[in-house]
């Protein structure tokens, strides 16, 4: 690494570095080669000058490394550092150029036992976050008013007393059922998850509250169980998590639909204040009374207007007038129908009389008698007309035949034509070598012009 900066002593064109340049090079190599690292060890040579920075060494049985935790970070420590305490530190490796020593510049320091749990917590949180288990989109909304609440907690802890006290004070009508479980120790997480599944499957509850009082990370570790977090996320009933104090966070908090800073705060979030609800009910009652009064006044006004309008229209008199008009129209319709019927009967009688007077059968017989002697005369006239027309047609045929070129051909002549149908009437109409059709009386001949002359 960085071989181009080094040369072998005695080689030509060697580069000579100063100590500060060498330290800078070493610092760059350390900071570039080592990422953010965790180191576990025992505190030693602890010092805290007036600047507020914290300097110490981390050591084990075989080695030690200098460390520095500057003031902005050291103010947030949750424990008091002392020599001999085993800790877990996170930082970046660098070089302190003034002494030429490498050291760790830390951004986090915690006690070793809790640190292991913290690392496990961070790893599991990152895994479940990547799966989308903590996404806000999958959170279920709490009901506007909870009628029956299941509280999953230790029956003997302070948390259950705080929750019951707040619920009784704020909303005594709420049905609260305590679902007892251990909240720490081996097997606690499995029992909490089993109780949560039973409560969810029962269909008895509008919401479930998972509560526990404060404690160390180890005390709260049951609520960082992966199976419990998945059970909370899969619940059909909304789950509220209130684990520890406001600064404590667990995987159950992230998986729940709502996280409350304390069990008492969770109870206040789940139910309304009784006095506030009573005031709201009274306001709604007053509003409903005002709306009813207003609607009643409007309905009475509409009824008065309708009565005045009805009185002005006099519907009984109008109905009587319409009834009389209907009866008159019906009478006129009956009379018109009768007159039409009588008129048709009269026309029918007249037609029958005329038909009887004309006697068409007798008239047809007389016409037939007159037609019989006329038939031979018509046939003779038709025969004479046909004979005259035939003689006239034969005369036309003879005249047409006299002027027909075919008659000329029959007398020994021929008609000469080019291929395109042009008639050869003179010598100039044909050229030497032309092929010409010669039409004779009984067919055609193909001739070719070899010479021309007068």
């Amino acid at each position: 690494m960085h071989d181009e900066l080094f040369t072998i002593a005695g080689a030509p064109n060697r580069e000579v570095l100063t100590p500060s340049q060498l330290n800078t090079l070493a610092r760059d190599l350390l900071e570039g080669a080592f990422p953010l690292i965790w180191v576990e060890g025992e505190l030693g040579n602890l010092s805290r000058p007036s600047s507020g920075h914290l300097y110490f060494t981390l050591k084990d049985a075989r080695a030690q490394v200098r460390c520095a935790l500057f003031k902005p970070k050291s103010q947030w420590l949750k424990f008091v550092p002392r020599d001999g305490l085993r800790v877990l530190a996170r930082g970046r490796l660098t070089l302190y150029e003034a002494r030429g020593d490498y050291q760790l510049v830390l951004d986090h320091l915690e006690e070793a036992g809790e640190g292991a749990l913290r690392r496990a917590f961070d790893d599991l949180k990152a895994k479940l976050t990547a799966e989308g288990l903590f996404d806000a989109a999958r959170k279920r909304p709490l009901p506007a008013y909870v009628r029956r609440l299941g509280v999953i907690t230790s029956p003997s802890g302070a948390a259950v007393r705080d929750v019951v006290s707040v619920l009784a004070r704020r909303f005594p009508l709420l049905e609260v059922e305590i679902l007892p479980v251990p909240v720490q120790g081996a097997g606690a997480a499995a029992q909490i998850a089993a109780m949560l599944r039973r409560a969810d499957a029962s269909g008895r509850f509008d919401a479930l509250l998972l509560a526990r009082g404060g404690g160390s990370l180890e005390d709260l570790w049951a609520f960082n169980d992966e199976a419990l977090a998945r059970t909370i996320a899969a619940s059909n009933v909304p789950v509220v998590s209130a684990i520890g104090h406001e600064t404590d966070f667990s995987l159950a908090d992230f998986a729940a639909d709502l996280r409350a800073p304390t069990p008492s705060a969770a109870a206040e979030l789940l139910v309304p204040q009784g006095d506030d609800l009573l005031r709201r009910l009274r306001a709604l009652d007053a509003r409903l009374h005002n709306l009813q009064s207003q609607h009643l006044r409007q309905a009475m006004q509409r009824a008065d207007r309708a009565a005045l309008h009805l009185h002005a229209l006099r519907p009984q008199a109008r109905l009587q007038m319409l009834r009389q008009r209907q009866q008159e129209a019906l009478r006129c319709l009956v009379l018109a129908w009768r007159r039409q019927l009588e008129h048709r009967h009269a026309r029918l009688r007249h037609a029958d009389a005329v038909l009887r007077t004309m006697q068409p059968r007798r008239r047809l017989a007389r016409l037939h008698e007159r037609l019989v002697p006329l038939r031979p005369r018509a046939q003779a006239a038709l025969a004479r007309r046909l004979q005259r027309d035939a003689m006239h047609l034969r005369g036309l045929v003879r005249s047409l035949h006299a002027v027909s070129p075919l008659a000329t051909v029959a007398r020994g002549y021929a008609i000469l034509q080019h291929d395109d149908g042009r008639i050869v009437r003179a010598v100039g109409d044909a050229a030497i070598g032309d092929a010409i059709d010669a039409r004779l009386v009984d067919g055609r001949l193909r001739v070719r012009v070899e010479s021309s002359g007068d």
Side-chain angles (χ1 to χ4, degrees):
M1 186 179 297
H2 296 282
D3 291 342
E4 68 277 6
L5 298 179
F6 298 95
T7 58
I8 301 174
N13 299 324
R14 68 176 180 271
E15 181 179 356
V16 179
L17 302 177
T18 64
S20 61
Q21 291 174 328
L22 183 60
N23 282 344
T24 300
L25 176 62
R27 185 195 64 196
D28 292 342
L29 288 172
L30 286 173
E31 292 179 354
F34 290 93
L36 192 69
I37 58 175
W38 288 87
V39 179
E40 184 176 348
E42 182 181 314
L43 285 177
N45 302 322
L46 182 66
S47 65
R48 191 165 202 168
S50 59
S51 62
H53 305 321
L54 194 62
Y55 300 100
F56 53 88
T57 59
L58 281 178
K59 57 184 180 179
D60 57 16
R62 300 177 57 187
Q64 65 180 13
V65 60
R66 292 181 180 274
C67 301
L69 183 66
F70 297 122
K71 183 178 179 179
K73 300 292 184 181
S74 65
Q75 292 177 330
W76 295 99
L77 291 179
K78 295 183 179 181
F79 68 100
V80 179
R82 62 182 184 278
D83 287 342
L85 184 65
R86 193 164 188 83
V87 296
L88 185 67
R90 182 183 64 195
R92 296 186 179 276
L93 197 61
T94 186
L95 184 74
Y96 182 51
E97 298 180 35
R99 288 198 303 264
D101 295 336
Y102 79 90
Q103 64 178 2
L104 276 173
V105 176
L106 305 178
D107 61 4
H108 180 74
L109 185 68
E110 61 187 33
E111 295 184 77
E114 185 173 347
L117 293 178
R118 179 64 61 185
R119 287 199 306 275
F121 172 85
D122 291 340
D123 293 342
L124 185 54
K125 179 185 175 185
K127 172 187 173 182
L128 297 181
T129 301
E131 293 181 12
L133 198 72
F134 303 149
D135 289 350
R138 53 149 297 275
K139 304 290 185 179
R140 297 167 293 270
L142 291 177
Y145 295 100
V146 179
R147 294 176 297 177
R148 182 181 289 113
L149 175 67
V151 182
I152 302 176
T153 187
S154 170
S156 59
V160 68
R161 292 194 297 271
D162 294 341
V163 169
V164 172
S165 175
V166 172
L167 293 176
R169 171 173 51 83
R170 287 180 62 88
F171 196 66
L173 297 177
L174 176 68
E175 297 182 35
V176 182
E177 186 172 337
I178 306 301
L179 307 176
V181 292
V183 293
Q184 70 180 67
Q191 295 186 52
I192 295 171
M195 180 62 76
L196 183 62
R197 286 191 294 270
R198 288 198 298 271
D200 181 32
S202 68
R204 290 171 45 81
F205 304 104
D206 300 315
L208 295 171
L209 172 60
L210 195 60
R212 189 206 189 281
S216 64
L217 180 60
E218 186 176 359
D219 295 336
L220 303 177
W221 193 248
F223 296 93
N224 292 319
D225 182 74
E226 179 179 357
L228 176 58
R230 295 187 183 277
T231 302
I232 294 173
S235 173
N236 295 312
V237 179
V239 178
V240 179
S241 176
I243 310 301
H245 299 301
E246 186 172 359
T247 56
D248 297 323
F249 283 89
S250 65
L251 296 180
D253 294 328
F254 295 111
D257 300 294
L258 178 66
R259 187 251 176 183
T262 62
S264 300
E268 293 179 355
L269 292 172
L270 281 167
V271 295
Q273 178 69 37
D275 295 339
D276 295 340
L277 186 60
L278 182 60
R279 283 192 293 271
R280 184 179 179 187
L281 288 174
R282 287 174 178 171
L284 291 174
D285 181 68
R287 182 182 177 187
L288 180 61
H289 179 73
N290 292 334
L291 288 174
Q292 288 177 340
S293 300
Q294 181 180 357
H295 290 168
L296 182 60
R297 286 194 299 271
Q298 293 175 351
M300 292 177 64
Q301 292 174 359
R302 289 195 298 270
D304 291 341
R305 288 195 297 270
L308 292 174
H309 185 64
L310 188 64
H311 181 71
L313 291 177
R314 298 179 64 193
Q316 291 295 337
R318 189 176 181 184
L319 287 175
Q320 182 64 26
M321 180 185 66
L322 292 175
R323 189 178 296 108
Q324 291 175 358
R325 291 177 60 184
Q326 180 189 21
Q327 292 174 354
E328 181 64 20
L330 182 61
R331 187 181 64 81
C332 293
L333 181 63
V334 170
L335 290 176
W337 178 77
R338 287 178 178 175
R339 285 196 295 268
Q340 183 72 12
L341 186 61
E342 291 175 357
H343 176 68
R344 291 182 180 274
H345 284 167
R347 288 181 60 186
L348 183 61
R349 288 192 296 271
H350 175 72
D352 181 68
V354 171
L355 185 62
R356 291 179 182 276
T357 302
M358 294 179 64
Q359 297 183 353
R361 291 182 179 178
R362 294 181 180 180
R363 187 177 179 184
L364 287 174
R366 289 195 298 270
L367 291 175
H368 182 71
E369 292 174 356
R370 292 174 58 187
L371 182 62
V372 169
L374 294 176
R375 184 176 298 171
R377 295 171 58 186
Q379 291 176 349
L382 180 61
R384 288 193 298 271
R385 179 64 181 268
L386 290 175
Q387 186 176 8
R388 288 197 304 269
D389 290 343
M391 293 175 62
H392 179 66
L393 182 60
R394 285 194 293 271
L396 292 176
V397 169
R398 286 194 298 272
S399 299
L400 183 62
H401 183 71
V403 297
S404 173
L406 297 178
T408 304
V409 170
R411 293 197 297 270
Y413 294 94
I415 299 175
L416 301 180
Q417 287 180 303
H418 287 285
D419 292 338
D420 57 3
R422 289 182 295 113
I423 303 297
V424 179
R425 292 183 174 88
V427 174
D429 292 341
I432 302 300
D434 286 351
I436 299 175
D437 284 339
R439 183 173 181 179
L440 304 176
V441 68
D442 58 349
R444 294 175 181 268
L445 293 177
R446 186 72 169 174
V447 297
R448 184 175 301 277
V449 179
E450 295 182 353
S451 62
S452 63
D454 295 336

